[in-house]
Amino acid sequence: MSERDTTGSGAGKAPEPSGVDLARVALRAAREAARARGDAAQQRKQARRGGLRSGARADRRDPMALGSAISWLLTERGWEAPAAVGGVMGRWPEIVGEDVAKHCEPERYDEGERVLVVRCDSTAWATNLRLLAPTLVARLNEDLGHGTVRLIKVVGPGGPARRFGPLRAPGSVGPGDTYG
């Protein structure tokens, strides 16, 4: 028996296309090639007209809603944590309660150290807030995301303004001069 099957049974081989089948395959290939050439020509033509234009369907070049644009900008620049903490400063009375908010207000947030600095109007409120600090850190991290605020630094009221007048020696800093 020879290597070719002379009986025509074609066991194991697909039949060769002929006639109408061969024409269909050639037509399909010609259509795909024409479509590819047309797409490339269309892209070149649009590029000459000043760039690709958006069509009827949604596209990355379409205008974005303001909220989506801001979210994208915050994510791209890595401003999510500072923006979230800024929102906390606006919602401070909701987070800590009205009584505490009347006497304590957030001043700044250090993103590198993840420290929120809060100023109180009296030493009594500063002591009270120091006792509440772990609870507030947990509440803030629950709202902002774990690890956003590591520590709340409580600052008491500032001292009285220095007065200069006839009873003060020039260059004097008060009791600090005497007691070091």
Side-chain angles (χ1 to χ4, degrees):
M1 189 176 232
S2 69
E3 290 181 19
R4 270 194 200 170
D5 188 12
T6 56
T7 60
S9 65
K13 287 187 177 180
E16 293 285 324
S18 63
V20 176
D21 293 331
L22 190 57
R24 284 185 185 142
V25 169
L27 180 62
R28 187 178 313 127
R31 282 182 179 164
E32 289 174 5
R35 187 176 300 124
R37 282 192 311 271
D39 288 345
Q42 182 70 19
Q43 287 176 353
R44 285 192 303 271
K45 184 177 172 184
Q46 286 177 341
R48 280 192 305 265
R49 280 192 282 164
L52 298 174
R53 294 194 161 76
S54 179
R57 291 183 179 79
D59 192 329
R60 66 177 174 77
R61 298 166 289 158
D62 288 340
M64 296 173 74
L66 182 61
S68 300
I70 290 173
S71 296
W72 176 80
L73 182 67
L74 290 175
T75 303
E76 181 184 299
R77 302 285 170 105
W79 294 340
E80 290 119 338
V85 172
V88 164
M89 291 185 180
R91 295 181 295 122
W92 184 251
E94 296 172 21
I95 294 171
V96 297
E98 292 295 327
D99 292 338
V100 176
K102 287 178 188 175
H103 301 283
C104 305
E105 63 182 18
E107 273 193 350
R108 66 183 177 276
Y109 174 70
D110 183 3
E111 186 178 359
E113 296 182 18
R114 298 188 320 255
V115 174
L116 179 65
V117 178
V118 179
R119 181 167 300 277
C120 298
D121 62 2
S122 70
T123 56
W125 277 104
T127 302
N128 189 20
L129 196 65
R130 283 187 191 102
L131 294 172
L132 291 174
T135 306
L136 288 177
V137 167
R139 191 179 302 167
L140 289 169
N141 283 331
E142 180 181 307
D143 191 36
L144 301 173
H146 183 67
T148 305
V149 177
R150 187 178 55 81
L151 177 72
I152 293 180
K153 182 178 178 184
V154 180
V155 180
R162 297 195 182 175
R163 290 180 243 148
F164 298 100
L167 300 178
R168 294 229 177 239
S172 168
V173 291
D177 281 348
T178 308
Y179 301 109

